[in-house]
Amino acid sequence: MSVLQWIIGILLMISALVMIVTVLLQSSERTGIGAVSGAAETFFGKNKARGMEAKLALLTKVCASVFVVLSIVLMFLG
């Protein structure tokens, strides 16, 4: 295993941990059986996340993107 693979593996684990933490920090607005069917709130609803919620959502998206890119790079290196 090369040094580059180790570095990418460590970055992959860090991005996974940050993504887990950001997902757990986000508050859930869906409750009850409506959350299962998606009736509680639509994706394009009027109530968009603001403030800290928006920052957590953005950080989650960035971490997910970094995770996917690093996974693909590691696949080609391995």
Side-chain angles (χ1 to χ4, degrees), residues 10-29:
I10 291 169
L11 291 174
L12 191 65
M13 286 189 286
I14 291 171
S15 68
L17 290 174
V18 171
M19 188 168 41
I20 289 169
V21 169
T22 56
V23 167
L24 289 176
L25 286 176
Q26 293 178 13
S27 64
S28 175
E29 296 176 2

Side-chain angles (χ1 to χ4, degrees), residues 21-22 25-27 51-61:
V21 169
T22 56
L25 286 176
Q26 293 178 13
S27 64
M52 190 62 152
E53 299 262 340
K55 291 177 185 174
L56 284 173
L58 178 64
L59 187 59
T60 303
K61 292 173 188 175

Side-chain angles (χ1 to χ4, degrees), residues 1 4-5 8-9 12 69-78:
M1 192 174 232
L4 186 60
Q5 288 176 328
I8 291 176
L12 191 65
V69 169
L70 287 176
S71 297
I72 292 171
V73 169
L74 193 61
M75 179 188 69
F76 284 119
L77 290 177

Side-chain angles (χ1 to χ4, degrees), residues 2 6-7 10 19 22 27 33 40 43 50 58 63-64:
S2 71
W6 276 97
I7 293 171
I10 291 169
M19 188 168 41
T22 56
S27 64
I33 196 72
F43 181 73
R50 289 180 172 63
L58 178 64
C63 285

